[in-house]
Amino acid sequence: MGKIKMSEQNYISVIENSMRFLDKALPLCNEALQAYPKSGHIHYLKALILWKQYPTQTLQNTSFTEHIQQALSLNPLDVQAICLWAEFNEVLKNYDLALQAYSQAITAKEKDPNLYYKRAFVYHLTENFQEAIEDCTKAITLAGKKVREIYYAQRGASKRALQDIEGALQDYQNAASVNPGYAGGFLDMSQIYYSQKKYQKALECANKAVEKAPNQPICYGIRADIKKAMNDLIGSLTDYQQVLFLNPKDTQIRKHIAYVQNLLLDQIPEGSSWLRVHLKSGHKAMLTHINGQVVTFLELPQK
């Protein structure tokens, strides 16, 4: 007996269930395309696999464009395919094509709040801030009780770009209220207060951001800037060092650490003792006391 031909829908289900293992999904997808070359969704799945496999800049050297265009040609209303095409162009900074694609997706699925948010993000990148605000407002309205914090955060960012600082703060507060674990809202608020030189408020927000996202270097970096502005050089140094520990490839942060360490050298009492140590992070350091506090000076390589 010959092999029973798998249906198109069965192929799609099997491929989708195999997406965590791309080395298995890809040959399945190729087999499915041989059996169903006119299946728009299978062409989309092939494009999606390539999207996951290759950096965006090298996708143009694969059959990604061919398959996503074929998917859209065969099924112009496939929102998943449209959004993948939009994201591809967004990353390549082909913003006009990305906006066109998101608008097409919205036409096909006009009640999906996430599509308005995605288009708003691109509008913001292209400095069409009012359009971004309108799309975020639409997303918030459509989402109702299921509203996501990022809708408010993006609207806040666009309001801030238009110098509507109070409106931006309110949206950042709403973002934090929708998702109490969301550090981004507190970070955004801290940056606004920092720009207004309201350092205590900025620090309070930055502390909350660190509490909610203790493994995110940006939280410590922003808090370090605030502490430095408040002349808390020891606290600032500690936070800058934490950024480096969390992201050892950040070369820029080394300059901040070196700068603050140089400022603190003048505060070390004459005759102070030093202790050389190796930190768990792998860095060599020298410990000493300043105003009763133990301060860590990292030995930074000269470049």
Side-chain angles (χ1 to χ4, degrees):
M1 294 179 62
K3 182 179 179 181
I4 299 176
K5 184 178 179 181
M6 193 183 301
S7 71
E8 177 184 348
Q9 189 54 52
N10 281 345
Y11 264 123
I12 289 172
S13 296
V14 172
I15 294 167
E16 288 178 339
N17 290 333
S18 303
M19 290 300 285
R20 288 184 300 169
F21 310 100
L22 298 180
D23 57 331
K24 295 182 179 180
L26 183 57
L28 273 171
C29 202
N30 290 335
E31 180 183 316
L33 281 173
Q34 287 185 343
Y36 299 98
K38 297 298 183 182
S39 170
H41 199 68
I42 294 177
H43 278 285
Y44 156 72
L45 290 173
K46 176 65 178 288
L48 181 61
I49 292 169
L50 294 172
W51 171 264
K52 291 175 177 290
Q53 275 190 323
Y54 294 93
T56 307
Q57 300 298 332
T58 62
L59 272 176
Q60 297 176 89
N61 300 325
T62 72
S63 57
F64 171 84
T65 302
E66 172 191 342
H67 286 291
I68 195 64
Q69 292 288 12
Q70 187 73 353
L72 293 171
S73 174
L74 291 165
N75 187 359
L77 298 181
D78 187 338
V79 173
Q80 289 178 298
I82 297 169
C83 287
L84 182 57
W85 178 242
E87 289 177 34
F88 171 71
N89 282 289
E90 181 182 327
V91 173
L92 292 181
K93 299 184 179 180
N94 298 328
Y95 295 132
D96 288 343
L97 289 176
L99 286 170
Q100 181 182 354
Y102 282 131
S103 295
Q104 183 182 351
I106 287 170
T107 300
K109 199 175 182 182
E110 61 182 11
K111 298 298 184 181
D112 187 339
N114 209 41
L115 296 178
Y116 290 92
Y117 161 73
K118 289 182 175 181
R119 189 172 68 175
F121 183 77
V122 182
Y123 272 137
H124 184 90
L125 291 175
T126 56
E127 299 184 358
N128 292 297
F129 302 122
Q130 189 57 46
E131 289 85 348
I133 291 170
E134 291 169 5
D135 267 1
C136 286
T137 301
K138 183 72 172 179
I140 291 166
T141 301
L142 286 172
K145 293 181 179 180
K146 295 182 178 180
V147 67
R148 300 173 65 190
E149 69 279 358
I150 54 176
Y151 301 166
Y152 282 113
Q154 181 57 63
R155 190 172 70 174
S158 295
K159 285 182 178 180
R160 184 181 177 189
L162 291 176
Q163 299 303 310
D164 179 6
I165 303 304
E166 291 306 313
L169 280 172
Q170 184 60 59
D171 273 337
Y172 294 146
Q173 289 168 358
N174 287 338
S177 176
V178 166
N179 181 0
Y182 178 58
F186 291 107
L187 274 185
D188 292 328
M189 284 188 282
S190 72
Q191 289 178 298
I192 286 181
Y193 288 132
Y194 177 80
S195 67
Q196 295 175 331
K197 297 185 178 181
K198 297 178 180 178
Y199 298 131
Q200 188 56 46
K201 284 188 174 182
L203 181 60
E204 291 169 4
C205 290
N207 285 339
K208 289 180 180 179
V210 168
E211 176 187 334
K212 296 174 186 303
N215 295 318
Q216 292 298 316
I218 188 173
C219 298
Y220 295 94
I222 289 175
R223 189 171 70 174
D225 290 340
I226 296 166
K227 289 180 178 179
K228 185 168 66 175
M230 299 176 75
N231 204 34
D232 177 8
L233 296 181
I234 296 176
S236 176
L237 177 61
T238 300
D239 277 343
Y240 282 139
Q241 289 172 348
Q242 187 62 25
V243 174
L244 183 63
F245 299 155
L246 290 170
N247 184 13
K249 294 182 179 180
D250 188 338
T251 56
Q252 191 63 32
I253 204 66
R254 296 174 185 272
K255 297 179 182 179
H256 290 286
I257 293 172
Y259 176 75
V260 178
Q261 286 186 168
N262 285 334
L263 292 177
L264 283 169
L265 285 174
D266 294 334
Q267 299 184 20
I268 300 173
E270 187 175 349
S272 294
S273 59
W274 293 80
L275 176 65
R276 185 182 297 274
V277 297
H278 283 79
L279 304 178
K280 290 182 179 180
S281 64
H283 294 87
K284 295 179 181 179
M286 298 287 289
L287 306 183
T288 191
H289 286 83
I290 299 177
N291 298 327
Q293 297 185 62
V294 176
V295 182
T296 302
F297 285 76
L298 295 182
E299 296 183 10
L300 300 173
Q302 298 296 320
K303 293 186 178 181

